């Protein structure tokens, strides 16, 4: 019944989109409200209650006039939901096949992304979703069940990073003194050998106006500086301390800067949040310190919401906390107020 009432609230709204469920639930209740009076009119006539039948017939006629505009409006919005113009409604005037073609258009699935007529209907094509409700997407993932076995031979630090057992400490966690005013994240360690080789930092991310000494700011992005590459001399042997992870994809957003900003996704676990210790740091006051985890393994990508305050959305649908969900190339991810386009890198 809520779908029927929703259509009446949008009485003459010919813009936007209407899901398949909304359209056909309205059609069902509209059919009931038409067929029941017709049945009663016939029953009253046979029972010699002609006056009651006459009154009911007048009410039925008024209802039919009343329902014409919302019926047209919801049909146009249903066509918009399939990516078609509302003018396709007039295809029904084509003799014999026009009505069949229009019927086929109304039973097609919704376009799963935003089109020129609006966004995907919210909440798995439901008209309203309370904040307390969580849309549960059942999508089994063998990748998560295999993770435990795949992590044999690795340790996990307090920050949730995995590293090989052969290393004495996590190479990803911040080391040394870091200026809080610049919000600088330094990952890895640096040691100088007896020679005069230049000392390099494994990775430095700077958020804010400051730039660490010895680094050159990127002319294209004043808010982020990345320096990679490091080595350590142990027992006279050069040992690389850089954890090389293959680039597997990007998160691209045009909400942060007009000309766009991108974040790299590496093989393995990628933490996402407002805290600067995350692999991907998002400066958004609606993003939690550790908002979500994105895992890449064997060319598959899985994201999990880490009990964030404002939730994680995939293509406009909120996912349940702590439930891993597979994502595909081209999906739209939303953390807080910022939307990101996920793109997968192929070898």
């Amino acid at each position: 019944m809520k779908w029927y009432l929703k259509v009446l609230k949008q009485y003459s709204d010919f813009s936007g989109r209407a899901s398949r469920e909304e359209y056909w639930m309205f059609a069902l209740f509209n059919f009931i409200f038409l067929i029941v009076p017709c049945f009663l009119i016939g029953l009253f006539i046979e029972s010699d209650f002609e006056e009651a039948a006459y009154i009911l017939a007048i009410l039925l006629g008024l209802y039919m006039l009343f329902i014409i505009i919302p019926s047209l409006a919801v049909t146009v919005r249903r066509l918009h939901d399939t990516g078609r113009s509302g003018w396709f409604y007039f295809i029904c005037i084509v003799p014999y096949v026009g009505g069949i073609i229009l019927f086929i258009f109304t039973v097609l699935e919704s376009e799963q992304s935003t089109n020129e007529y609006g966004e995907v209907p919210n909440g798995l094509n439901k008209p309203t979703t309370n904040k307390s409700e969580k849309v549960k997407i059942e999508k089994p993932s063998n990748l998560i069940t295999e993770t435990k076995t795949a992590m044999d031979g690795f340790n996990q630090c307090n920050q949730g990073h995995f590293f090989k057992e052969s290393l004495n400490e996590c190479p990803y966690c911040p080391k040394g003194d870091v200026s809080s005013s610049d919000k600088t994240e330094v990952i890895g360690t640096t040691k100088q050998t007896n020679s005069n080789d230049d000392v390099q930092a494994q990775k430095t991310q700077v958020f804010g106006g400051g730039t660490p000494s010895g680094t050159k700011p990127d002319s294209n992005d004043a808010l982020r500086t990345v320096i990679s590459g490091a080595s350590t001399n142990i027992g006279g042997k050069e040992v690389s301390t850089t954890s090389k992870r293959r680039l597997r994809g990007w998160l691209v957003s045009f909400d942060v800067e007009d000309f766009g900003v991108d974040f790299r996704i590496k093989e393995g676990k990628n933490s996402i949040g407002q805290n600067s210790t995350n692999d991907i740091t998002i400066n958004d006051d609606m993003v939690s310190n550790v908002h979500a985890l994105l895992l890449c393994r064997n060319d598959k990508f899985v994201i999990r919401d880490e009990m964030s305050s404002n939730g994680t959305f995939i293509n406009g649908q909120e996912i349940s906390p702590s439930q891993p969900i597979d994502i595909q190339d081209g999906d739209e991810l939303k953390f807080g107020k910022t939307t990101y386009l996920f793109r997968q890198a192929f070898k």
Side-chain angles (χ1 to χ4, degrees), residues 2 6 8 13 92 98 112 122 138 149 163 167 176 193 202 225 272 286-287 301 304 330:
K2 61 183 178 181
K6 179 179 184 295
L8 295 185
D13 185 5
C92 65
Q112 297 303 312
N122 293 331
E138 297 290 347
T149 303
F163 60 95
L167 298 177
T193 63
Q202 284 187 0
T225 302
I272 302 172
M286 293 186 65
V287 173
F301 295 84
R304 183 180 69 189

Side-chain angles (χ1 to χ4, degrees), residues 3 6-7 10 18-26 77:
W3 300 108
K6 179 179 184 295
V7 173
Q10 296 178 272
S19 66
R20 180 169 54 182
E21 185 177 5
E22 175 184 342
Y23 176 83
W24 284 108
M25 289 303 294
F26 167 78
R77 296 199 303 272

Side-chain angles (χ1 to χ4, degrees), residues 66-128:
F66 167 79
I67 209 67
I68 289 176
I69 294 179
S71 298
L72 290 173
V74 73
T75 304
V76 170
R77 296 199 303 272
R78 178 82 267 268
L79 291 170
H80 289 172
D81 193 44
T82 63
R84 292 172 175 81
S85 170
W87 293 107
F88 272 92
Y89 177 84
F90 294 102
I91 201 172
C92 65
I93 66 177
V94 177
Y96 304 112
V97 298
I100 298 175
I101 295 174
L102 181 62
F103 171 78
I104 293 175
F105 286 162
T106 59
V107 298
L108 294 177
E109 291 186 358
S110 304
E111 287 193 340
Q112 297 303 312
S113 59
T114 301
N115 61 23
E116 59 181 309
Y117 303 104
E119 297 182 352
V120 179
N122 293 331
L124 288 179
N125 291 336
K126 294 181 180 180
T128 57

